[in-house]
Structure formats: structure tokens, C-alpha cells
């Protein structure tokens, strides 16, 4: 699949300069694959239903083999590094039409690394800009999302593992249909839009908007209506995940086990996960995180040094290598929460 294939708008040039988000707003980065976070949040407080919800996910989600994802055996969950790192990839290509045995030619618009510390007291999710200019083993410098296109999932996993400086324990992929299914399963989601705009026949006002699945999909995908393009799209995605999380952990949802069961059943068929992300793991993780609430989840972006142009004319995002070393140390030492609290505001 070429850069002009059916991955809608994923490879357009990123020439806009990023705006600095305000730290106090608890920035929410990229929605699509963060639905795995929602799986965990959704079963918090469900008590006796934990296992059943996890089993529903286990029975409906699509399992990928270790070889398909890692190229070898899955990393040992008991590695010396503290905490758990989960790679979350988002795709608007219907995954049931993708040959996961040869995923070369694909690119992921959304790349996130979710860190669950050993204490289970909070969660950090780092978004990696798709155009980040990095080293890809055997291929020199390239955009980080091209690793999937060049060498399939194993190369993408190893490239992102090198980027964070430690192993990835699990991998999850979700496509847009799952995103729509979850939104509709909840009966809609209320989001706060920073700007008014129109797209695909939908009108979004500045302030609160109640969105169904199709409207939400337009809201989080649109970028051409904004002066700063991809960066406003990211902020819209942040607004949506905040609204989605609030909806899922509301009293109306958590007090309705059937609603949670249906929610997980509706969107899990659109998820593709490694063999370790099963009912037992999700249930155990959810129980360990039973006291986590939205304010305990920090979303941030990997350190960047502005946009630029590669020697072959590509629009790229430069990586702040010095700050990245601090991020890598944080992932290695299970101190990502401390990094987020003390990082320069321009990198949040």
C-alpha cells in the first residue's frame, strides 16, 4: 500500500507548527486506540462482574500470535524493568481486510505507549507523533509510522521499543469501526469543542456537543478545517477521550453491568491484541487499578523539537533527543509519572 492508499489523510504533510497545550487542562492525547484504557476503566467498580467482562473481551477480540507481533516470543512479563508497557496502534483501515501475517504497506496514524506502573495507582499514556524522524533498524532514518509499512508489526514494535528505551509487554490495535461501536453503545458522548466547524454535513459548535458514532468519527478525524491541522485534530481527540472516559465511569454506566457487558461485546471484535491480553490479564489489571479515576490518567506527547524537512523532502517532526533520554529513563525505571509531573510544559 503506498502513501496515497486508503489510509484516509494519514500521510498528508504535517507542516503546521505545534501549539503548546496548557498543563492544567490535563491534556488528553489521541483517542482511537486508547479504547483499551477504557476496557480497564469500564470494569472498575463492577466487582463480581470483572471476570465475566474480561471473558467477553477474550471471546470477541482477535488474538494475534507472538510471531505476528513480535517476530519472536512475547517478552517476559516478569522482566526486570518495573511496570507494564502496552503499545496502542490505531488504524482507519478495516482490520478484517488486512493480512496480519504481512502487514507491510500499512501505516498507523495513532501511536501510543501506555505505562501501568507496578503500583497500579495511576496510568500514563504517551502519544508519539506519526511523523517523528527516528532510526529504523536496517532502513536508516524515517518517519516512525513507516516502520509498519516497511517491516510489518515486528519492525514497528522493535522500532517503538527502541524509541522508549525498553521492552513493550503487550500490543493492541483497533480500527475506526470499533470506535464508532463503542460511542453508540454508550448512547452518545458529550465533548467540549474548542472551535466551531462543519464537516460531512455535521455542525459542531464551540462548547458542549453530544455526538453519536458517526459524528464522533468526523469530530476526531477532521483536520483541514483548522489552521493548525493535525494539532487541533489531536486536541479534538483529547476532548473526546475525556468525554468518553467520564461517560464510562459515570454512575449510570458502572451501576449497569449489562451495559458494560454490551459495551465490551460491541467493540471488542474490532480489537486485535497479543496473546497475553486475555481475560485473566484484563480482569487482574482492572482489579489492581480499582481506585484509578480519570484524574489519575496522564496523557502526554513524546518530546519534539519542531517540524522540519528531511533531505529527501518529507515533512517531519524532529525529536528532542536530550529530553527523550529522560523519557527513556522514566520508562526503564518505572518513573513515568514523575517525568510527567516535572517535564517542560512544551513537552506535555
Amino acid at each position: 500500500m503506498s502513501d496515497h492508499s486508503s489510509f484516509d489523510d494519514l500521510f498528508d504533510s504535517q507542516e503546521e507548527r505545534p501549539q503548546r497545550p496548557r498543563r492544567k487542562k490535563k491534556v488528553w492525547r489521541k483517542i482511537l486506540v486508547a479504547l483499551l484504557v477504557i476496557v480497564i476503566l469500564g470494569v472498575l467498580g463492577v466487582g463480581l462482574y470483572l471476570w465475566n467482562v474480561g471473558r467477553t473481551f477474550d471471546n470477541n477480540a482477535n488474538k494475534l500470535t507472538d510471531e505476528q507481533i513480535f517476530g519472536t516470543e512475547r517478552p517476559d512479563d516478569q522482566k526486570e524493568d518495573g511496570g507494564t508497557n502496552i503499545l496502542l496502534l490505531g488504524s482507519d483501515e478495516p482490520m478484517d481486510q488486512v493480512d496480519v501475517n504481512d502487514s507491510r504497506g500499512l501505516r498507523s496514524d495513532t501511536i501510543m505507549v501506555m505505562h501501568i506502573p507496578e503500583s497500579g495507582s495511576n496510568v500514563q499514556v504517551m502519544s508519539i507523533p506519526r511523523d517523528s524522524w527516528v532510526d529504523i533498524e536496517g532502513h536508516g532514518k524515517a518517519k516512525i509510522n513507516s516502520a509498519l509499512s516497511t517491516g510489518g508489526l515486528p519492525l514497528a514494535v522493535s522500532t517503538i521499543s527502541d524509541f522508549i528505551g525498553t521492552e513493550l509487554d503487550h500490543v493492541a490495535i483497533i480500527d475506526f469501526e470499533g470506535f464508532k461501536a463503542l460511542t453508540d453503545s454508550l448512547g452518545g458522548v458529550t465533548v467540549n469543542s474548542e472551535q466551531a466547524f462543519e464537516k460531512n454535513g455535521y455542525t459542531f459548535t464551540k462548547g458542549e456537543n453530544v455526538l453519536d458514532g458517526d459524528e464522533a468519527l468526523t469530530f476526531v478525524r477532521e483536520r483541514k478545517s483548522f489552521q493548525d491541522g493535525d494539532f487541533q485534530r489531536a486536541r479534538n481527540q483529547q476532548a473526546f477521550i475525556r468525554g468518553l472516559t467520564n461517560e464510562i465511569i459515570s454512575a449510570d454506566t458502572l451501576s449497569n453491568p449489562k451495559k458494560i457487558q454490551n459495551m465490551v461485546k460491541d467493540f471488542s471484535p474490532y480489537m486485535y491484541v497479543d496473546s497475553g491480553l486475555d481475560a485473566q490479564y484484563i480482569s487482574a489489571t482492572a482489579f489492581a487499578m480499582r481506585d484509578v479515576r480519570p484524574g489519575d490518567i496522564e496523557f502526554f506527547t513524546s518530546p519534539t523539537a519542531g517540524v522540519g524537512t528531511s533531505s529527501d523532502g518529507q515533512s517531519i517532526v524532529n525529536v528532542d533527543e536530550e529530553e527523550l533520554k529522560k523519557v527513556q529513563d522514566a520508562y526503564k525505571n518505572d518513573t513515568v509519572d514523575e517525568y510527567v509531573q516535572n517535564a517542560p510544559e512544551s513537552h506535555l
Side-chain angles (χ1 to χ4, degrees):
M1 185 177 298
S2 69
D3 283 2
H4 301 286
S5 64
S6 59
F7 269 94
D8 182 31
D9 286 335
L10 299 191
F11 315 118
D12 295 338
S13 63
Q14 184 172 332
E15 299 176 355
E16 302 87 351
R17 190 171 299 274
Q19 295 183 357
R20 293 171 57 178
R22 288 176 291 176
R23 193 170 186 173
K24 291 184 179 180
K25 293 182 71 174
K26 287 189 178 295
V27 176
W28 299 86
R29 292 280 177 191
K30 302 278 189 181
I31 169 62
L32 308 178
V33 289
L35 297 181
L36 181 61
V37 180
I38 303 304
V39 173
I40 295 173
L41 290 177
V43 294
L44 296 176
V46 183
L48 296 176
Y49 297 94
L50 272 175
W51 172 253
N52 199 35
V53 171
R55 187 175 60 182
T56 297
F57 178 84
D58 201 22
N59 291 339
N60 289 278
N62 301 279
K63 293 297 175 64
L64 301 177
T65 67
D66 295 344
E67 184 176 4
Q68 287 172 327
I69 291 180
F70 300 102
T72 58
E73 294 182 358
R74 187 168 57 87
D76 186 355
D77 288 338
Q78 303 300 317
K79 66 181 189 304
E80 293 183 3
D81 297 335
T84 299
N85 301 314
I86 303 176
L87 173 61
L88 309 170
L89 297 174
S91 168
D92 68 349
E93 183 80 355
M95 287 299 297
D96 60 1
Q97 298 178 23
V98 172
D99 181 1
V100 294
N101 293 306
D102 184 7
S103 49
R104 289 173 296 178
L106 302 182
R107 296 196 184 195
S108 177
D109 179 43
T110 304
I111 304 171
M112 303 169 71
V113 179
M114 174 181 174
H115 180 76
I116 304 175
E118 197 166 12
S119 66
S121 59
N122 49 49
V123 178
Q124 296 79 43
V125 184
M126 181 176 73
S127 173
I128 304 174
R130 67 189 184 187
D131 292 341
S132 296
W133 197 243
V134 303
D135 288 311
I136 297 180
E137 186 177 359
H139 300 277
K141 287 278 191 179
K143 295 179 180 182
I144 196 166
N145 72 338
S146 71
L148 181 59
S149 174
T150 303
L153 276 170
L155 184 59
V157 169
S158 64
T159 298
I160 296 165
S161 178
D162 290 342
F163 187 80
I164 68 170
T166 189
E167 291 179 345
L168 292 162
D169 302 281
H170 299 288
V171 177
I173 308 169
I174 188 169
D175 64 34
F176 279 104
E177 290 304 314
F179 161 78
K180 289 171 56 179
L182 179 56
T183 304
D184 288 332
S185 181
L186 288 166
V189 171
T190 300
V191 300
N192 197 314
S193 178
E194 291 184 354
Q195 298 184 35
F197 66 98
E198 296 183 2
K199 184 69 176 181
N200 295 338
Y202 302 124
T203 298
F204 303 94
T205 60
K206 183 176 181 179
E208 287 192 352
N209 297 259
V210 180
L211 310 180
D212 63 20
D214 288 323
E215 292 168 328
L217 190 54
T218 296
F219 183 77
V220 300
R221 293 178 73 180
E222 175 57 11
R223 68 174 189 83
K224 294 183 179 179
S225 297
F226 314 116
Q227 184 175 358
D228 56 353
D230 280 338
F231 301 104
Q232 182 59 48
R233 175 165 64 177
R235 289 190 290 274
N236 285 350
Q237 293 170 344
Q238 296 157 16
F240 186 83
I241 193 172
R242 187 170 193 173
L244 185 64
T245 304
N246 288 338
E247 181 68 32
I248 287 178
I249 68 168
S250 69
D252 288 344
T253 301
L254 290 183
S255 63
N256 189 338
K258 182 174 178 58
K259 186 174 183 179
I260 292 176
Q261 188 82 3
N262 290 338
M263 175 187 71
V264 174
K265 184 178 180 180
D266 286 345
F267 87 87
S268 55
Y270 302 101
M271 292 202 72
Y272 289 71
V273 299
D274 71 83
S275 60
L277 279 175
D278 55 14
Q280 180 178 358
Y281 176 82
I282 291 174
S283 299
T285 300
F287 183 78
M289 296 171 63
R290 60 192 178 278
D291 295 325
V292 172
R293 291 297 180 265
D296 300 317
I297 304 174
E298 301 269 15
F299 283 69
F300 68 108
T301 190
S302 59
T304 62
V307 297
T309 304
S310 65
S311 58
D312 60 353
Q314 298 182 68
S315 179
I316 63 174
V317 172
N318 294 307
V319 176
D320 184 333
E321 298 292 349
E322 289 302 314
E323 193 68 22
L324 181 62
K325 291 178 182 177
K326 298 177 184 179
V327 172
Q328 292 174 337
D329 287 341
Y331 272 97
K332 288 178 183 177
N333 299 320
D334 195 18
T335 57
V336 183
D337 56 343
E338 295 178 17
Y339 172 80
V340 174
Q341 292 300 318
N342 298 292
E345 187 173 331
S346 59
H347 293 306
L348 296 179

